C-alpha cells in the first residue's frame, strides 16, 4: 500500500482505476498466499500454526499500522485523502490483528478452540490421528458444544468433511447425535404429550399429533422463524436501494462517499441474508429429523402392541409405509413450515418497495399477485387428489411386492413368478396412471409460476402507462428485482400447498394407525409366583379373534393347570388348538370369563419365527450368556452337530426369516430359545412336526421330559405317541374342549379322541405289516417309566445339518449391503438421461431453457435501455412500443417454459417407467440364491424409496441443475457486459468454488449412501417385529426390541443430520465467495468515472448481481442434491444387472405336450454345491425313480434330501452329472417347461392374499367345476361352501385367516388340479394331525396311482408303504431298495429308523391293542 503517485492527485480518473486494480490484485495475492499456507498447515496435522505463517501475519499487522500512520500524516498535510485508502487501511488492520491473534493464541493445545477454526476446515485437522480412541460410535457431534463462531460458520462440520476428503466415510466415523436430537431425547417428549392429551380414550387425532410434534420442536421452529424474518427483510434491501444506486451512477450525489455507503449497506444486507437463510434451512431440517425419529419410534411401539384384529386390517406392507414414507414426509415438511406467513410478509414488503417507486401502480401488482396465487388453488387441489391416489396405489403395489418376495421359492417351484410379475406390473400401471396425471399437473404449475414475474411486471408497467406514471430505468430495475424476489414465494406456493396437503394426509394416516385397538391389557390376571399352586386357570372362557363375529373361536373353556403338570392338546385341523395357546398368552381377545396366570412364560410358535442375526443371539434372546446352561440347551435341542457343520458355528448369521436354515433347524433354534429363558410355564405349538422321527424323540425326551421335568408344560401335538406321557390330555373340537383326562381314561370314553388314535393305529398297522419281524416292546405308560420308554441310544452321525443354505464355508450368507464407493460414475447419469427415447428430448429441453433465458434477459435489457434514467431525460421510444415489445418478449419466454416443463416431465415419467420394468424383470428372473442372500428389505427399499425418488424427484433435480447453470451463465454474461473486470475476481472465485465443491462432495456422497444403507435395517427390524410380535410379547421382551429400534433409528438419523450440516457448511462458504464477486463489481462501478457506462445497464447488472450468490449456491446445491439423489438410480441400476436364471423356455428344445408320459427319473452321478467356492452337498448320487412308482426319501436332517428336490426343479444347478426325466436331460429344456410339468407340495404351506380361487388357480387355467372338484377331494369343499363368498371368499396376507393344516390342504388342492405325472411331497404333512395325514395319503394314492410320487417325510408311516425307499447320508446314497427288503436286513439304517419310530409309538400302541 505504497504512497506512490498519491501526491499527483486523486483527481486523475485513469490513475484512480489503476490504483483500484493494484489494490484488487494485491488483495488476491495476499489471500492466495494465506490459503496456500493454511492448506499446508491442514495437511501437516500439527497442533500449532507453522512459524512462517505466524511471522507472515505479524508482518501484515506491522505493514498495516505503518500504512495507517503514513496516511494520517498525509491527511494532516493536504487535508484530503481518497476514501479507498481509508477503507483498505481499516480492513488490513482488522484482518491483521485477527490473524495475529489466531496465530499466537488460537491453537495452544489439542482441544477444539473454535476461535482459530479456519473458515474452510473447522477445528480438526486430523481427527483420526488426534482422536483414534474416539470412534463415531462414542463421540458426540461437535455441534453439541460448538462455539458461537463455529455455529455461525458451520465450522463444527469441518472435522467430518476433512475426514471424508481423506478416506471413504463409514458409519463409525459419523459422530453420535446430541441427546436433544436423538430419538431417546425426542420420543419421550412426543409420547408424554400424546398420552397427556389423549387421556383415558388413548385415541390419537391428527390435531393431537400435530400439537405433539410442534411441542417437541418448538425451539427449532421459533429460531428458524427469526431467521426467516431476518432473511426476508435483508433480501428487500437490494431492490429498495437500486434506484438510488442508478441515480448515483447518473451523477446525483446526496452526500459525500455515498457510493461507499451504498456498497457497504448492500454488502451487509447480503451477509445477513446469506447467513440467516443457511441457519433457517439447517434448523428446519433439524426439527424434521427429530420429528421423523420420534414418529418412527411411536409407530414401532404401536406395532408391538397391536391386536391381531387391528393387524388384519393393515398388512405389514402398509404399516411399514407409515414408517418409511409418511413419517419421512412429515419430517420434510419443515422446509415449507414458514412459507404461509412468509409469503404475506414478502408480498407486503414488495408492495412497500413498489409504492415508493411506482406509486399507485403497485395496487395493480397486488391484484396480479393475488390472481396468480388464486390460479394455483385448482392446480393445488388436483395435485393433492392425484398424490393421494398415487400413494394408495403405491401401497397396494408394495403389499403385493413384499408378499411375492416372501414366497419367491414357491413361485419359482410352481413356475408362477412371471404371472405374479405381471400382477405387480398391472398394479404399477395403475400407479403410473396417477403419476402421469400428477407430473403433468406439476408441469402446468411450473409454467404458471415461472411465468408469474413476467405476468406481474406486464400488468404493473401497463398500469403505469395507463395512469401516466413516468417510468425511469432505476425504478423499473427496482421493480424487476422485486418481482424476481416475489417469484420465490409465488413459485413455492403450489409446493407449499401440496406439501401441507400431503403432510395432512400422512398425519391422518399415522393418527388413525396410532388409534387402532391394542391387545386387551386386562385379558390375563397375573398372580405372583408362589402365591398359589395353580399355574394357569381359565374359568368360563369365551374368546374370539374377531370381536364383531357372532360365534366365538373358543367356547366354554374351563381349565386348571397346577405347577409342574404336563398338558397335551390334540384335535383335528382347525379345531382351535393354537387358539387355546393364544388365549393363555393373552393374544386372543376375551369375550367373557377369567384367565389367571402365575409365573413367567415361554412360547414356541407353530411357524418358526427367527430373527436375522447370529444363531447365538437368537437363542440368548437378550439374556446374558451362561455357558453351562447354553451348552445343555444346545445338547437338548440336538444343535451341537449342526453348529459343527456351519462354518461359523453359533456365530453364523441367519438370513431374513431364517432363510439359510432348514425347517427342522429353525424349529430347534426356536425351542432352544424357549428353553434358555428359564421360565415357569412353557407353551409348545406342535414344534415336533418339522423334525424327523429320531430328532422328534430326542427333543421330546431331552426338553419336555428332561430340562423341563419340573416345569409346567402345555404342548399341542399331532403325534399320538407323545400323548400317554401327559398328565392331562385336552381334545379340541370346533373350539371346545370335547374331552379331557388321562390317556387311558379318555380313550375309553369318547369318539373324538378315538378318531385321532384310530388313524394312528391304522398308520402303525401299515407299518407292522411291512415290517417283517421288527419287534415292538410294550412299556408301562405311567410317568415313572415314560422317560425310559422314550430314551434311545443316539446314533453317531446324529445331526448333520441340512446344508440347504447358500452359505459359504468362509463367508457368511447375508453380506453387508453393498454400497458403491467414490464418485457416482458419469455412466449412471448417462444411462439415466438416455433411458427415455435414447436421450432425444434432452437437447430440446436445454434449447427451451436457453431461449427462455435469452428472452427474459432481453426483455429486462429492453426495459432498462429504452426508459430514461431520470425525469429530465427524453425517452428513446414511445411508451406503447415499450410495452408491446416487452409483452412480446415475455410471452415468448413463457412459452419456452411451458415447452421445457412438458418435455422434462415426459422424459422423467418415461425413464421412471422403464427403470421400474427393467429392475423388476431382473429381480423376478434372478436365481433363488439371490433371494436367499438378500434381505427383502433391501429389495423393497429400491422398489419404494428409490423408485419414489426416480418417479418424483430426480427429473426435477436433473432439470434444475441444468437450468440453474444456464441462468448463472446468463447473469455472468450480463455483468461482464458492464464490467469485464469482474472476471479478475470471478475466475479465481469460481476456481475456489469448484475446489470447495470437490472437497465437500466426497463426504456428502458417502453420507448420502450411508443414509440409504442405514434405512433398510430400520424397516427390516420393524417388519421382523411385526411378524414375531406374539413371540416377543410372550417372552416379555418388548423393551429390548424398542431399545434396538431406537439404536437403528439414530443410526439412520446420524448421517442424515450430518449430510444437512455438510450442505450448509459448503453453502456458507460459497455465499461468502459470491459476495466477494458482487462487492468487487459494485466497488468497480462506483470507482469508474461518470459517463463511462450507461447507468441503466449498470443498474441491470446490479439487479442480476443481487441474485448471484443465490444462483451460485443454487447451482452447487443442485449438483450436490443431484449427486446425493442419483444414488437412487445407481441402486436401481445395480439390480438391473443381477445374473439371471437359465431361460424359461428354450425354443429349440421344447418337450412334447404329453411329457413326461412315463415319469421315470434317472439320476446320474449328481453333484451339487451351492456356490463355486463351497463344498459339495450331494456328492455323486446315481439312482432311478421308476415311472408310476412311489419313492420315499429319508435321512437325517442335513443329509441332502431337500437339495435333491431343489436340483430336480433346477432351483440349484448341478455342478456335475445330470438328471433325465423320460430320457430328456432337464438341463437342456427351459425352466418353465420343466417346473410347470412337475408338482410339489412344499414344506411351508403358502397362501397368497386374494381369493380361494386365485390361490388354487393363479394362472386362471381351470373352470369353477374343476376347482370345486379339487376342493372336495382335499376335504375343503364344505369349509369353503360355508363361507359367504364361496370361491371368491377372501384370503388375508399369508393366509392368516386359515389354520396351518388348512393351508396344507389348499396346497394339496393345487396339485390335484394340476395332475402332473411327477409329484413331490416335501414334508408335506408335517403340520397336520395323523387323521388328516392319512386322508392326504389316501387322496394321493387314489388320484396319483399312476404318477411318480417322491416323498420326503419325517413320519416313517408316510414312506413305509412306498414302492422304493432312498436313504441319504452326507449327500450319498446309503440305501436304495424296497422297504420290505430293507426291513428284512436288520443291520440296515432304514430298519433302525423304523424300529425307533415303533419304539416311541409302542406305549400308545399297547393301549390301542387293549381296546
Amino acid at each position: 500500500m505504497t504512497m506512490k503517485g498519491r501526491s499527483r492527485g486523486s483527481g486523475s480518473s485513469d490513475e484512480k482505476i489503476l490504483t483500484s486494480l493494484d489494490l484488487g490484485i494485491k488483495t488476491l495475492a495476499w489471500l492466495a498466499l494465506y490459503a496456500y499456507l493454511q492448506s499446508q498447515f491442514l495437511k501437516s496435522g500439527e497442533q500449532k500454526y507453522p512459524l512462517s505463517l505466524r511471522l507472515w501475519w505479524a508482518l501484515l499487522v506491522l505493514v498495516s499500522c505503518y500504512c495507517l500512520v503514513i496516511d494520517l500524516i498525509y491527511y494532516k498535510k493536504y487535508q484530503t485523502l481518497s476514501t479507498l485508502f481509508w477503507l483498505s487501511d481499516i480492513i488490513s488492520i482488522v484482518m491483521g490483528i485477527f490473524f495475529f491473534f489466531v496465530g499466537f493464541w488460537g491453537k495452544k493445545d489439542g482441544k477444539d478452540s473454535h476461535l482459530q477454526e479456519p473458515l474452510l476446515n473447522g477445528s480438526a485437522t486430523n481427527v483420526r490421528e488426534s482422536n483414534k480412541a474416539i470412534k463415531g460410535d462414542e463421540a458426540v457431534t461437535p455441534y453439541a458444544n460448538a462455539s458461537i463462531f463455529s455455529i455461525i460458520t458451520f465450522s463444527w462440520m469441518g472435522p467430518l468433511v476433512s475426514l471424508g476428503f481423506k478416506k471413504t466415510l463409514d458409519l463409525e466415523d459419523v459422530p453420535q447425535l446430541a441427546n436433544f436430537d436423538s430419538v431417546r431425547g425426542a420420543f419421550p417428549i412426543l409420547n408424554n404429550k400424546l398420552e397427556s392429551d389423549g387421556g383415558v380414550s388413548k385415541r390419537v387425532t391428527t390435531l393431537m399429533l400435530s400439537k405433539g410434534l410442534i411441542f417437541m420442536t418448538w425451539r427449532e421452529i421459533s429460531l428458524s422463524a427469526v431467521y426467516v424474518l431476518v432473511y426476508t427483510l435483508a433480501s428487500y434491501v437490494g431492490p429498495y436501494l437500486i434506484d438510488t444506486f442508478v441515480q448515483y451512477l447518473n451523477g446525483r450525489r446526496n452526500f459525500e462517499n455515498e457510493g461507499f455507503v451504498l456498497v457497504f449497506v448492500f454488502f451487509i444486507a447480503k451477509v445477513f441474508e446469506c447467513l440467516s437463510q443457511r441457519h433457517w434451512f439447517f434448523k428446519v431440517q433439524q426439527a424434521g429429523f427429530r420429528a421423523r425419529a420420534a414418529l418412527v419410534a411411536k409407530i414401532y411401539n404401536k406395532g408391538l402392541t397391536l391386536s391381531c384384529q387391528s393387524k388384519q386390517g393393515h398388512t405389514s406392507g402398509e404399516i411399514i409405509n407409515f414408517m418409511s414414507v409418511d413419517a419421512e414426509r412429515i419430517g420434510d415438511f419443515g422446509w415449507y413450515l414458514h412459507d404461509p406467513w412468509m409469503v404475506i410478509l414478502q408480498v407486503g414488503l414488495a408492495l412497500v418497495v413498489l409504492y415508493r417507486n411506482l406509486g399507485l401502480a403497485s395496487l395493480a401488482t397486488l391484484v396480479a399477485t393475488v390472481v396468480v396465487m388464486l390460479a394455483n388453488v385448482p392446480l393445488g387441489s388436483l395435485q393433492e387428489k392425484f398424490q393421494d391416489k398415487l400413494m394408495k396405489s403405491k401401497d397396494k403395489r408394495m403389499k403385493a411386492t413384499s408378499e411375492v418376495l416372501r414366497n419367491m421359492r414357491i413361485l419359482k417351484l410352481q413356475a408362477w413368478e412371471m404371472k405374479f410379475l405381471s400382477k405387480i406390473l398391472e398394479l404399477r400401471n395403475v400407479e403410473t396412471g396417477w403419476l402421469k396425471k400428477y407430473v403433468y399437473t406439476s408441469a402446468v404449475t411450473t409454467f404458471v409460476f415461472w411465468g408469474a414475474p413476467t405476468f406481474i411486471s406486464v400488468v404493473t408497467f401497463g398500469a403505469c402507462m395507463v395512469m401516466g406514471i413516468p417510468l425511469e430505468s432505476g425504478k423499473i430495475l427496482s421493480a424487476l428485482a422485486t418481482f424476481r424476489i416475489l417469484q420465490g414465494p409465488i413459485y413455492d406456493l403450489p409446493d407449499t400447498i401440496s406439501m401441507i396437503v400431503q403432510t395432512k394426509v400422512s398425519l391422518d394416516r399415522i393418527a388413525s394407525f396410532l388409534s387402532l385397538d391394542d391387545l386387551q391389557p386386562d385379558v390375563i390376571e397375573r398372580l405372583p409366583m408362589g402365591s398359589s399352586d395353580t399355574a394357569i386357570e381359565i374359568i368360563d372362557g369365551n374368546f374370539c379373534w374377531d370381536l364383531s363375529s357372532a360365534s366365538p373361536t373358543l367356547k366354554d373353556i374351563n381349565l386348571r393347570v397346577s405347577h409342574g403338570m404336563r398338558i397335551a392338546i390334540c384335535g383335528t385341523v382347525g379345531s382351535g388348538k393354537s387358539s387355546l395357546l393364544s388365549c393363555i398368552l393373552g393374544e386372543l381377545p376375551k369375550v367373557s370369563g377369567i384367565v389367571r396366570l402365575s409365573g413367567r412364560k415361554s412360547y414356541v410358535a407353530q411357524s418358526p419365527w427367527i430373527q436375522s442375526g447370529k444363531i447365538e443371539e437368537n437363542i440368548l434372546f437378550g439374556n446374558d450368556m451362561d455357558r453351562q446352561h447354553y451348552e445343555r440347551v444346545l445338547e437338548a435341542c440336538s444343535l451341537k452337530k449342526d453348529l459343527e457343520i456351519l462354518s461359523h458355528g453359533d456365530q453364523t448369521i441367519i438370513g431374513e426369516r431364517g432363510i439359510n436354515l432348514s425347517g427342522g433347524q429353525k424349529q430347534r433354534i426356536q425351542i432352544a430359545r424357549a428353553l434358555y429363558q428359564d421360565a415357569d410355564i412353557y407353551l409348545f405349538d406342535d414344534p415336533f412336526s418339522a423334525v424327523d422321527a429320531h430328532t422328534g424323540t430326542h427333543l421330546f425326551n431331552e426338553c419336555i421330559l428332561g430340562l423341563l421335568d419340573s416345569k409346567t408344560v402345555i404342548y399341542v401335538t399331532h403325534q399320538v405317541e407323545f400323548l400317554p406321557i401327559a398328565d392331562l390330555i385336552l381334545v379340541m373340537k370346533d373350539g371346545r374342549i370335547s374331552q379331557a383326562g388321562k390317556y387311558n381314561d379318555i380313550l375309553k370314553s369318547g369318539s373324538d379322541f378315538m378318531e385321532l388314535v384310530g388313524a394312528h393305529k391304522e398308520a402303525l398297522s401299515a407299518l407292522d405289516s411291512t415290517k417283517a419281524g421288527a419287534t415292538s416292546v410294550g412299556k408301562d405308560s405311567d410317568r415313572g417309566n415314560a422317560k425310559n420308554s422314550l430314551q434311545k441310544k443316539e446314533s453317531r452321525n446324529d445331526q448333520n445339518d441340512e446344508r440347504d443354505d447358500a452359505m459359504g464355508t468362509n463367508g457368511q450368507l447375508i453380506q453387508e449391503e453393498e454400497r458403491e464407493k467414490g464418485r457416482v460414475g458419469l455412466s449412471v447419469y448417462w444411462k439415466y438421461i438416455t433411458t427415455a427415447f435414447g436421450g432425444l428430448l434432452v437437447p430440446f429441453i436445454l434449447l427451451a431453457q436457453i431461449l427462455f433465458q435469452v428472452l427474459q434477459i432481453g426483455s429486462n435489457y429492453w426495459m432498462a435501455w429504452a426508459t430514461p434514467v431520470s425525469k429530465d431525460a427524453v425517452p428513446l421510444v414511445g411508451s406503447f412500443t415499450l410495452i408491446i415489445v416487452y409483452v412480446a418478449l415475455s410471452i415468448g419466454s413463457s412459452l419456452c417454459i411451458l415447452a421445457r416443463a412438458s418435455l422434462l416431465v415426459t422424459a422423467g415419467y418415461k425413464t421412471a417407467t422403464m427403470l421400474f420394468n427393467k429392475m423388476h424383470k431382473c429381480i423376478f428372473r434372478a436365481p433363488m440364491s439371490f433371494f436367499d442372500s438378500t434381505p427383502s428389505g433391501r429389495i423393497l427399499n429400491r422398489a419404494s424409496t428409490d423408485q419414489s425418488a426416480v418417479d418424483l424427484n430426480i427429473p426435477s433435480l436433473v432439470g434444475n441443475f441444468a437450468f440453474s447453470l444456464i441462468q448463472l451463465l446468463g447473469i455472468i454474461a450480463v455483468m461482464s457486459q458492464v464490467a469485464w473486470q469482474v472476471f479478475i475476481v470471478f475466475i479465481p472465485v469460481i476456481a475456489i468454488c469448484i475446489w470447495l465443491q470437490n472437497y465437500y462432495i466426497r463426504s456428502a456422497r458417502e453420507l448420502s449412501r450411508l443414509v440409504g444403507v442405514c434405512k433398510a435395517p430400520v424397516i427390516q427390524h420393524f417388519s421382523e417385529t411385526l411378524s414375531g410380535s406374539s413371540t416377543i410379547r410372550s417372552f416379555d421382551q418388548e423393551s429390548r426390541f424398542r431399545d434396538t429400534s431406537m439404536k437403528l433409528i439414530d443410526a439412520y438419523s446420524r448421517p442424515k443430520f450430518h449430510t444437512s450440516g455438510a450442505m450448509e457448511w459448503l453453502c456458507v462458504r460459497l455465499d461468502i465467495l459470491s459476495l466477494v464477486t458482487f462487492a468487487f463489481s459494485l466497488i468497480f462501478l462506483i470507482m469508474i468515472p461518470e459517463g463511462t457506462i450507461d447507468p441503466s445497464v449498470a443498474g441491470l447488472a446490479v439487479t442480476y448481481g443481487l441474485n448471484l450468490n443465490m444462483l451460485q449456491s443454487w447451482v452447487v446445491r443442485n449438483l450436490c442434491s443431484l449427486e446425493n439423489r442419483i444414488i437412487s438410480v445407481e441402486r436401481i441400476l445395480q439390480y438391473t444387472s443381477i445374473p439371471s436364471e437359465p431361460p424359461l423356455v428354450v425354443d429349440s428344445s421344447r418337450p412334447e405336450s404329453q411329457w413326461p408320459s412315463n415319469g421315470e427319473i434317472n439320476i446320474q452321478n449328481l453333484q451339487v454345491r451351492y456356490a463355486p467356492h463351497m463344498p459339495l452337498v450331494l456328492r455323486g448320487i446315481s439312482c432311478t425313480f421308476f415311472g408310476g412308482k412311489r419313492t420315499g426319501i429319508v435321512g437325517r436332517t442335513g443329509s441332502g434330501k431337500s437339495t435333491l428336490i431343489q436340483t430336480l426343479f433346477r432351483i440349484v444347478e448341478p455342478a456335475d452329472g445330470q438328471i433325465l426325466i423320460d430320457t430328456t436331460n432337464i438341463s437342456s429344456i427351459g425352466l418353465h417347461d420343466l417346473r410347470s410339468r412337475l408338482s410339489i407340495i412344499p414344506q411351508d404351506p403358502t397362501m397368497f392374499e386374494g381369493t380361494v380361487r386365485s390361490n388354487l388357480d393363479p394362472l386362471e387355467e381351470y373352470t369353477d367345476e374343476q376347482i370345486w372338484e379339487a376342493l372336495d377331494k382335499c376335504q375343503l369343499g364344505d369349509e369353503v361352501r360355508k363361507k359367504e363368498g364361496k370361491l371368491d371368499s377372501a384370503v388375508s396376507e399369508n393366509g392368516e385367516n386359515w389354520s396351518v393344516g388348512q393351508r396344507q390342504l389348499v396346497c394339496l388342492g393345487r396339485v390335484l388340479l394340476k395332475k402332473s405325472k411327477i409329484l413331490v411331497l416335501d414334508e408335506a404333512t408335517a403340520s397336520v394331525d395323523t387323521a388328516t395325514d392319512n386322508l392326504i395319503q389316501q387322496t394321493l394314492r387314489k388320484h396319483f396311482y399312476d404318477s411318480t410320487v417322491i416323498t420326503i417325510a419325517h413320519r416313517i408311516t408316510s414312506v413305509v408303504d412306498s414302492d422304493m425307499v432312498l436313504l441319504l447320508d452326507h449327500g450319498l446314497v446309503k440305501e436304495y431298495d424296497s422297504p420290505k427288503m430293507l426291513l428284512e436286513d436288520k443291520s440296515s439304517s432304514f430298519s433302525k429308523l423304523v424300529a425307533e419310530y415303533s419304539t416311541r409309538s409302542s406305549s400308545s400302541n399297547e393301549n390301542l391293542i387293549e381296546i
Side-chain angles (χ1 to χ4, degrees), residues 528-564:
M529 189 60 190
S531 60
S532 80
D533 61 345
T534 305
I536 300 164
E537 187 171 21
I538 304 175
I539 303 167
D540 299 330
N542 287 289
F543 303 87
C544 191
W545 285 115
D546 180 3
L547 288 172
S548 57
S549 158
S551 59
T553 314
L554 294 179
K555 303 177 266 294
D556 311 326
I557 303 294
N558 283 288
L559 173 66
R560 188 170 172 283
V561 180
S562 301
H563 285 294

Side-chain angles (χ1 to χ4, degrees), residues 386-445:
F386 296 149
Q387 172 78 31
D388 191 37
K389 300 280 191 194
L390 183 64
M391 280 308 301
K392 282 184 178 148
S393 52
K394 182 181 172 179
D395 278 354
K396 274 189 186 156
R397 170 175 66 81
M398 286 311 299
K399 194 162 121 185
T401 308
S402 74
E403 182 175 58
V404 165
L405 291 176
R406 236 190 346 263
N407 300 308
M408 188 54 88
R409 186 178 295 275
I410 299 297
L411 298 183
K412 287 204 176 287
L413 288 169
Q414 304 275 17
W416 289 346
E417 73 268 40
M418 298 325 277
K419 173 69 180 178
F420 277 78
L421 172 62
S422 68
K423 282 186 183 173
I424 285 175
L425 293 178
E426 274 168 31
L427 289 169
R428 171 69 181 172
N429 284 341
V430 175
E431 186 185 348
T432 49
W434 294 114
L435 176 66
K436 197 171 187 176
K437 288 176 178 160
Y438 180 79
V439 293
Y440 280 109
T441 315
S442 70
V444 176
T445 316

Side-chain angles (χ1 to χ4, degrees), residues 62-81:
L62 293 173
V63 171
S64 305
C65 293
Y66 161 76
C67 287
L68 182 66
V69 171
I70 296 282
D71 282 346
L72 284 168
I73 295 166
Y74 182 90
Y75 182 71
K76 273 194 170 176
K77 190 174 178 184
Y78 296 102
Q79 293 299 306
T80 175
L81 183 71

Side-chain angles (χ1 to χ4, degrees), residues 883-905:
I883 292 294
I884 286 296
V885 173
Y886 185 68
V887 168
L889 289 169
S890 301
I891 289 172
S893 69
S894 299
L895 290 174
C896 288
I897 278 294
L898 183 61
R900 183 203 88 185
S902 309
L903 290 171
L904 181 67
V905 296

